[in-house]
Each structure stands twice: as structure tokens, then as C-alpha cells.
């Protein structure tokens, strides 16, 4: 006779209860992780582009989208580009990142962060995360920099490699603002430029100020799975006029204005956002307040059902923050980590798209050789996080 382990029975019941909890909110399914909502002027604005024939990088919607973004976020300037990775690439260049410089980025983030650093021929330097925000662990990073760096001629020097640490790029993970007070203090104290990766946090605020507007520069993404979408697309935010002008210049192939001649005064990039995509973005921005409201209501509904399940915590916005709740996130108690994949299998088999956090960047073959601090918290978080269906339409359809 086989012996049944009561813990296995309980864990199996847990997976089933998670499926039922999601079903209670998302309906019978299937349910995507995050799909766009087109309920406004998208068709009207796209038709206007087609009728006018301005479908590429010239057209009124590009200027309007940038103006609307600046107004919504409170940034003085917004420069639209083809995607969030391009935005970060240019932001790094504007912040002075050069070949062989190091850039501090969290190990727990999307691979685009490390990719953009390498586009500058610079070195990703991976740092740890914290449980409260899922963002950079400020106190641990400060201690690490105190013991591993020194100041020379106004630059932060890595004592091990001898390289300049030029920038710090924190991510507002899943839309939850990182500890910006602490990050700004580190940037100031160690002479490091702060570039916010706000790709996931459009509509998120820290002390009532929009994310992406605290550092020297910030970047946004409008990929198809983001809070609003332009199909593909991104933006650079800054309050510095000179940087804004240079960003626009670099992302439009560094061409000097002229009626007919093509003269480019530096190496530029064809990162312009087409008018078609900007038109979609304008319509999406008009709906952003209602989308954010629906996502917050969805969080409250999920919070109510998951509060009844032991061993599961629904990630809530950090203190002093207002999150857009881009992706609703479950955190498993440490004793349940071994069953994470079982939960992922059960939910996906039931038609509810769920996914774990990213594999830590330092574990990817392309980045194994790069410097890193102790990453124990990021490693634990990568094993215990599960994103669940988060589309704003779930709240509308199953309220």
C-alpha cells in the first residue's frame, strides 16, 4: 500500500484553489495575461492617418502623442520612439554611458535592460532586489558601493574592475514604484546618473509624482501587453531641454533640418515612432484614467479572493506609492516554491495564462560573465512570483 503525503494533498488543493480564485474573477476563460483594450477613438484616428496618407514618421499624431504624454506624466518633454529598448539605448547615451563603462541594473528585470547597456558597448553590473517593492534594494546597494567603489575626479570607480560606474537603471517592476528617495540619494552620493526604467509603470506615482520623472531621464514602453499600447513604441522622458533636443535628433537619424539636403552631423538612429502608432497611442491615452481605475478594481477583487488562500500573497503597491497594477502578482510562501511550476501548469491548462518572473539576467548565457553583487533576494523572488491575468477588461466583463 502506498503512503499519501498529506503535504502533497494540500499543495494539490492549493493549485486547484488558485485556479478557482482566478476563475471567480476572470470568468470561465480563456484569459490572456494582459491584452489591450480598444474602446475609444482608435479606429477614427487610424482612419485619419490613412486618409491623410501620413502613416510614417511625419504627421500630427506624433507631436500630439508626445505633448499628451508630457502632460499626463508631468515631464517637461517626451520623445516618442519605436520601442522601450530603443528609448533606454538613447537614454544611456544621453547620460554619457560610453564603451567599457558599467551600468547598475537589477538582475530581476526584463532582458531589454541588459541588452540596451551592451548596445553602448558598456558593461551590465547586476544588483539585488527587495521584497517590499520588487525593485532595487537600496540599503544593500549602498553598502555594496561603499565597500566596492571609490570616487576619482567626480566618477564612481569599481575597485575590482577599475571601470567607471556611469549610471543606475532601476525598474519599477510590474508597475510598482521602486524606492526613489533612496535611489536618488545613491545617485547623488556616488555621482551616478539615474535613469528610470518606467516601461511597466505608466500611471504609477511615488509621493504623487509620476514615475520616470525623478531621474535625469526615464523611459516608457507601449508594447502590446502594456497598460496602453501603440502596437510597438516607447518614449523618453526628461525635464532637461538640451537632452530632449538631443534625444529627438539622435532618434531621427541625426539629420539637420533642411528642405532637401540630407546632412547628418553624428551617428544617429532610425528610432522614429510612425504616425500610425502615435495615433493609436493618442486614443489609448484618452482612455488611460478609466483603464487605471479598472485595473485597481481588479486588484481589489483579486485581493478579496486570494486573502482566503493560505500561503499566497497578492502583491500590493508599496508605501508612499500609487501603482498602475500593470501585472497582478502572486507571491508564494517559501515552503510552496517547490510547487510553483505545478501551479503554473494547472492555471495554464485551465485556460488562464500565468507566468513566472524572468530568469535572473546573470543566469542567461549572454550575461554570465558580467559583475554582480550578492543576489539572494532576487533569486528567491524569481522563484516565488507568479503573474496572473491582469487585463483591465476582466474587471468589466466579470464584475
Amino acid at each position: 500500500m502506498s503512503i499519501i503525503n498529506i503535504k502533497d494533498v494540500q499543495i494539490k488543493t492549493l493549485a486547484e484553489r488558485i485556479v478557482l480564485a482566478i476563475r471567480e474573477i476572470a470568468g470561465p476563460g480563456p484569459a490572456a495575461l494582459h491584452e489591450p483594450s480598444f474602446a475609444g477613438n482608435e479606429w477614427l484616428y487610424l482612419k485619419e492617418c490613412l486618409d491623410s496618407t501620413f502613416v510614417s514618421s511625419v504627421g500630427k499624431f506624433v507631436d500630439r502623442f508626445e505633448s499628451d504624454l508630457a502632460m499626463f506624466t508631468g515631464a517637461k518633454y517626451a520623445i516618442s520612439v519605436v520601442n522601450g529598448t530603443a528609448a533606454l539605448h538613447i537614454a544611456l547615451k544621453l547620460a554619457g554611458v560610453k564603451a567599457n563603462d558599467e551600468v547598475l541594473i537589477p538582475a530581476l528585470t526584463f532582458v531589454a535592460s541588459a541588452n540596451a547597456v551592451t548596445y553602448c558597448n558598456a558593461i551590465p553590473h547586476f544588483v539585488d532586489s527587495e521584497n517590499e517593492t520588487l525593485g532595487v534594494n537600496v540599503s544593500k546597494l549602498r553598502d555594496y558601493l561603499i565597500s566596492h567603489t571609490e570616487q576619482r575626479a567626480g566618477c564612481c570607480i569599481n575597485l575590482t574592475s577599475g571601470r567607471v560606474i556611469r549610471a543606475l537603471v532601476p525598474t519599477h517592476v510590474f508597475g510598482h514604484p521602486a524606492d526613489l528617495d533612496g535611489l536618488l540619494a545613491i545617485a547623488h552620493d556616488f555621482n551616478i546618473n539615474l535613469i528610470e526604467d518606467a516601461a511597466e509603470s505608466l500611471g504609477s506615482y511615488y509621493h504623487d509624482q509620476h514615475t520616470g520623472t525623478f531621474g535625469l531621464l526615464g523611459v516608457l514602453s507601449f508594447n502590446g501587453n502594456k497598460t496602453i499600447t501603440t502596437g510597438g513604441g516607447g518614449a523618453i522622458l526628461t525635464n532637461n531641454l538640451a537632452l530632449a533636443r538631443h534625444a529627438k535628433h539622435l532618434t531621427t537619424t541625426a539629420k539637420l533640418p533642411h528642405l532637401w539636403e540630407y546632412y547628418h552631423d553624428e551617428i544617429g538612429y532610425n528610432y522614429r515612432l510612425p504616425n500610425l502608432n502615435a495615433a493609436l497611442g493618442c486614443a489609448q491615452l484618452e482612455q488611460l484614467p478609466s483603464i487605471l481605475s479598472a485595473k485597481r478594481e481588479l486588484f481589489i477583487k483579486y485581493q478579496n479572493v486570494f486573502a482566503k488562500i493560505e500561503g499566497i500573497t497578492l502583491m500590493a503597491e508599496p508605501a508612499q506609492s500609487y501603482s498602475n497594477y500593470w501585472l497582478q502578482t502572486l507571491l508564494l510562501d517559501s515552503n510552496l516554491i517547490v510547487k510553483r511550476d505545478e501551479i503554473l501548469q494547472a492555471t495554464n491548462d485551465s485556460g488562464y495564462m500565468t507566468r513566472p518572473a524572468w530568469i535572473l539576467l546573470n543566469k542567461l548565457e549572454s550575461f554570465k560573465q558580467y559583475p554582480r553583487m550578492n543576489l539572494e533576494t532576487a533569486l528567491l523572488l524569481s522563484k516565488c512570483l507568479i503573474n496572473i491575468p491582469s487585463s483591465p477588461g476582466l474587471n468589466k466583463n466579470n464584475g
Side-chain angles (χ1 to χ4, degrees), residues 41-358:
N41 289 317
E42 288 86 357
W43 282 106
L44 178 64
Y45 294 167
L46 289 172
K47 185 178 185 303
E48 184 176 338
C49 285
L50 296 173
D51 289 343
S52 70
T53 74
F54 287 102
V55 297
S56 190
S57 55
V58 176
K60 73 174 188 179
F61 285 110
V62 174
D63 291 338
R64 175 181 163 184
F65 185 52
E66 291 178 340
S67 176
D68 290 352
L69 270 178
M71 182 175 297
F72 182 86
T73 61
K76 288 184 178 179
Y77 311 102
I79 301 88
S80 59
V81 293
V82 291
N83 54 55
T85 309
L88 184 53
H89 177 202
I90 296 301
L92 289 165
K93 290 184 70 67
L94 293 170
V97 174
K98 302 177 181 65
N100 212 41
D101 283 350
E102 293 183 10
V103 178
L104 303 171
I105 63 172
L108 184 68
T109 190
F110 184 53
V111 70
S113 297
N115 286 340
V117 173
T118 64
Y119 298 165
C120 298
N121 294 313
I123 308 297
H125 189 147
F126 301 114
V127 302
D128 203 13
S129 304
E130 64 176 11
N131 293 312
E132 294 77 14
T133 66
L134 307 182
V136 170
N137 189 317
V138 168
S139 61
K140 189 172 178 181
L141 177 57
R142 176 174 286 276
D143 290 342
Y144 179 75
L145 291 174
I146 288 171
S147 61
H148 288 77
T149 71
E150 69 177 16
Q151 295 293 309
R152 297 180 199 162
C155 292
C156 183
I157 306 298
N158 182 338
L159 290 172
T160 302
S161 66
R163 293 186 289 252
V164 174
I165 299 178
R166 189 75 64 183
L168 167 60
V169 185
T171 302
H172 302 302
V173 179
F174 307 141
H176 300 298
D179 178 4
L180 283 160
D181 284 334
L183 291 164
L184 286 167
I186 284 178
H188 175 270
D189 294 345
F190 292 89
N191 292 309
I192 300 172
N193 287 321
L194 182 66
I195 302 170
E196 291 177 72
D197 182 351
E200 303 170 0
S201 64
L202 180 65
S204 296
Y205 296 82
Y206 182 83
H207 289 299
D208 299 321
Q209 182 176 334
H210 198 283
T211 53
T213 65
F214 287 80
L216 181 67
L217 299 133
V219 300
L220 300 171
S221 171
F222 309 111
N223 188 34
N225 66 349
K226 293 300 191 294
T227 304
I228 68 167
T229 184
T230 58
I236 301 165
L237 303 178
T238 185
N239 293 322
N240 184 302
L241 177 58
L243 290 178
R245 286 175 172 168
H246 199 188
K248 193 69 170 179
H249 187 58
L250 285 176
T251 57
T252 53
T253 70
K255 179 183 180 297
L256 293 180
H258 194 279
L259 190 59
W260 60 80
E261 286 192 334
Y262 284 78
Y263 186 81
H264 308 262
D265 63 349
E266 61 181 310
I267 294 174
Y269 302 86
N270 190 5
Y271 284 172
R272 297 170 290 187
L273 184 72
N275 198 46
L276 272 172
N277 299 79
L280 188 62
C282 289
Q284 288 273 284
L285 271 175
E286 291 172 351
Q287 301 168 72
L288 183 52
S290 62
I291 290 172
L292 293 171
S293 177
K295 291 179 72 62
R296 181 162 289 267
E297 290 177 19
L298 180 62
F299 164 76
I300 293 170
K301 290 182 177 182
Y302 270 139
Q303 190 177 47
N304 289 335
V305 296
F306 281 108
K308 305 169 187 175
I309 303 179
E310 187 177 354
I312 299 291
T313 303
L314 186 68
M315 179 71 187
E317 61 197 0
Q320 312 303 325
S321 298
Y322 184 92
S323 176
N324 66 2
Y325 286 109
W326 172 52
L327 288 185
Q328 309 289 345
T329 306
L330 302 180
L331 293 91
L332 307 179
D333 284 359
S334 58
N335 64 309
L336 302 179
I337 287 175
V338 293
K339 293 298 181 178
R340 183 200 69 174
D341 288 357
E342 182 179 328
I343 295 168
L344 290 166
Q345 189 73 57
T347 49
N348 281 281
D349 285 350
S350 299
Y352 303 105
M353 185 178 178
T354 60
R355 74 178 191 192
W358 312 278

